[in-house]
């Protein structure tokens, strides 16, 4: 299959690209498109055959459910039921935007492979103008995970999607680099109290301001049945191992020397304050006081490592304040929780 990349300018909407995307989706094909978080790989959420193509293209495990994207709030009435008040408040406050709500799923509405057999479904209305325009023209819910090969960092550029999925999908709508750079916050409204299953750009503090106390799911250990099934898989991982390390220039310098003594190449992914360390490759996460920049740059940096001959990747830990919690959540997965020990 030939993969076409179609550049869509946010302002002067490219009619032909949208028509092509709508036609492909309507005919049961998959299409990659930008959202304000990361690029998604979409299919019509009511077609089991179309949704199966997402799993196939990504190599995604079948028991990991997909997020359903809608162009308007009223669309969710068709496939959810008993929406709690607090969930309504969240939708009114944060949609369109990077917040996914887990809600009770109406039986026999969406394709079964969307929710991996769960009685619940994750929904969000994205804010990106290209995603919104596509959904509004289509007028149907779209199931879409991140448009990366399963296990790799989510794509923040059309080129990342092309790198991972070329030859496997027919069309990528290229809307430039995504804004936030990390996937949406996932919040569960089915349990006793609203609980964050995956931290993201909408933080716990922002949620609590509008709905009061919010719980946080523990990072899933493998014994426990995972609440966000995706959390149990290795994720966001470059080819070479990632190690977390204390955010001290001296500690990082010592670690690099030790790795060099073993004749290995080492990369650092860190804020600019670490660029004085003598290292083989340095990938910047920007100014250490700008966590938004780090969120924006992280997946590109993890992908950049795969373009080098690096053997070990060190990441000094970042603050867990605000979006820092989401950044560290992804880094804990990329590193499999491994710390570098001198
Ligand atoms: O920002 C985003 O959310 C992006 C863009 C494309 O919208 N999408 C995304 O999808 O990150 P994905 O498939 O990579 O991550 C979806 C996460 C997974 O951890 C999955 O297990 C969880 O949401 N999830 C989906 N449906 C769920 C459900 N019914 N119950 C619990 N977790 C669910
Ligand atoms: Mg993903």
């Amino acid at each position: 299959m030939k993969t076409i990349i179609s550049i869509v300018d946010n302002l002067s909407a490219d009619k032909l690209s949208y028509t092509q995307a709508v036609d492909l989706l309507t005919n049961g094909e998959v299409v990659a498109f930008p959202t304000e978080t990361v690029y998604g790989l979409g299919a019509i959420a009511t077609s089991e055959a179309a949704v199966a193509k997402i799993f196939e293209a990504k190599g995604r495990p079948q028991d990991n459910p997909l997020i359903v994207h809608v162009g308007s709030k009223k669309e969710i009435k068709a496939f959810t039921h008993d929406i709690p008040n607090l969930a309504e408040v969240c939708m009114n406050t944060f949609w369109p935007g990077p917040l996914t709500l887990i809600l009770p799923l109406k039986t026999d509405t969406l394709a079964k492979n969307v929710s991996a057999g769960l009685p619940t479904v994750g929904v969000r209305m994205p804010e990106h103008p290209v995603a919104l325009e596509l959904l509004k023209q289509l007028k149907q819910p779209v199931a879409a995970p991140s448009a990366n090969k399963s296990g790799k960092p989510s794509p923040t550029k059309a080129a990342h999607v092309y790198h991972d999925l070329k030859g496997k999908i027919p069309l990528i709508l290229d809307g430039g680099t995504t804004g936030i750079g990390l996937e949406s916050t996932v919040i569960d409204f089915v349990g006793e109290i609203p609980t964050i299953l995956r931290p993201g750009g909408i933080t716990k503090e922002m949620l609590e301001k509008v709905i009061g106390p919010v719980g946080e799911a523990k990072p899933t250990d493998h014994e426990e049945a995972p609440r966000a099934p995706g959390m149990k898989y290795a994720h966001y991982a470059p080819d070479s191992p990632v190690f977390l390390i204390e955010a001290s220039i001296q500690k990082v310098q010592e670690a690099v020397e030790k790795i060099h003594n073993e004749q290995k190449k080492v990369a650092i992914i860190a804020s600019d304050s670490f660029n004085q360390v003598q290292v083989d490759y340095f990938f910047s996460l920007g100014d250490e006081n700008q966590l938004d920049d780090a969120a924006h740059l992280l997946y590109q940096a993890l992908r950049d490592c795969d373009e080098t001959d690096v053997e070990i990747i060190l990441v000094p830990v970042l603050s867990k304040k605000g979006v820092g919690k989401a950044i560290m959540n992804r880094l804990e997965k990329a590193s499999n929780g491994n710390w570098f020990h001198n």
Side-chain angles (χ1 to χ4, degrees):
M1 183 187 295
K2 192 164 182 283
T3 302
I4 293 167
I5 304 183
S6 195
I7 295 175
V8 217
D9 188 303
N10 295 350
L11 303 171
S12 63
D14 181 339
K15 273 197 190 137
L16 203 67
S17 302
Y18 287 114
T19 307
Q20 200 182 10
V22 169
D23 284 351
L24 282 165
L25 288 168
T26 311
N27 289 314
E29 282 302 332
V30 293
V31 171
F33 58 92
T35 82
E36 73 280 21
T37 58
V38 299
Y39 275 75
L41 180 64
I44 297 281
T46 47
S47 164
E48 192 165 346
V51 171
K53 290 181 184 169
I54 295 177
F55 286 90
E56 198 184 310
K58 284 182 55 99
R60 182 177 175 106
Q62 299 284 339
D63 63 347
N64 192 5
L66 308 179
I67 293 172
V68 174
H69 296 67
V70 293
S72 79
K73 205 183 122 192
K74 61 176 188 293
E75 270 180 56
I76 71 166
K77 296 261 158 25
F79 59 90
T80 61
H81 65 90
D82 294 311
I83 300 171
N85 267 337
L86 295 182
E88 291 276 0
V89 173
C90 277
M91 287 186 261
N92 293 335
T93 310
F94 298 108
W95 280 9
L99 184 71
T100 296
L101 292 82
I102 306 297
L103 299 171
L105 169 67
K106 233 183 236 175
T107 44
D108 297 327
T109 54
L110 300 179
K112 285 192 185 65
N113 45 0
V114 169
S115 54
L118 295 171
T120 56
V121 61
V123 282
R124 87 175 188 102
M125 178 156 104
E127 193 173 23
H128 195 288
V130 174
L132 265 186
E133 181 62 27
L134 177 64
L135 291 164
K136 283 187 171 151
Q137 289 196 19
L138 191 68
K139 297 185 193 71
Q140 291 189 68
V142 167
S146 50
N148 51 287
K149 191 172 151 204
S150 194
K152 287 287 155 192
S154 295
T156 53
K157 291 183 173 148
H160 299 162
V161 182
Y162 189 76
H163 176 274
D164 282 13
L165 303 179
K166 65 172 171 291
K168 296 180 172 162
I169 63 173
L171 178 67
I172 303 167
L173 295 180
D174 181 353
T177 306
T178 60
I180 298 168
L182 296 179
E183 305 82 353
S184 62
T185 304
V186 177
I187 181 166
D188 184 352
F189 279 99
V190 179
E192 301 252 295
I193 68 157
T195 303
I196 295 175
L197 303 184
R198 178 175 73 180
I202 308 272
T203 62
K204 183 170 190 268
E205 295 74 31
M206 290 160 79
L207 288 159
E208 288 189 330
K209 256 188 206 148
V210 293
I211 58 167
V214 166
E216 284 174 294
K218 287 197 209 84
T220 319
D221 61 55
H222 293 265
E223 283 76 47
E224 225 178 313
R227 290 184 70 184
M231 300 203 313
K232 74 180 176 187
Y233 299 105
H235 257 100
Y236 321 112
D239 296 334
S240 297
V242 175
F243 292 92
L244 302 177
I245 185 165
E246 192 186 318
S248 135
I249 288 170
Q250 194 197 329
K251 285 271 161 61
V252 174
Q253 185 72 66
E254 285 168 12
V256 170
E257 281 161 21
K258 187 172 179 222
I259 297 164
H260 279 164
N261 284 339
E262 294 166 9
Q263 313 297 324
K264 287 187 177 157
K265 295 241 169 90
V266 51
I268 297 175
I269 297 176
S271 66
D272 291 333
S273 55
F274 285 87
N275 69 6
Q276 55 186 286
V277 176
Q278 297 298 311
V279 72
D280 303 289
Y281 302 99
F282 181 82
F283 298 108
S284 170
L285 294 181
D287 184 321
E288 68 178 325
N289 298 313
Q290 301 291 331
L291 286 172
D292 286 350
D293 290 349
H296 189 72
L297 295 168
L298 178 63
Y299 287 158
Q300 175 77 58
L302 289 170
R303 281 177 176 267
D304 283 344
C305 289
D306 283 346
E307 304 303 316
T308 71
D309 58 352
V310 69
E311 293 164 280
I312 292 186
I313 302 160
L314 296 177
V315 188
V317 293
L318 290 91
S319 155
K320 283 193 180 176
K321 285 206 191 99
V323 75
K325 189 173 271 177
I327 298 172
M328 284 310 301
N329 167 274
R330 307 308 190 269
L331 281 171
E332 271 149 22
K333 287 189 184 142
S335 64
N336 213 351
N338 292 324
W339 283 70
F340 188 85
H341 297 291
N342 273 325

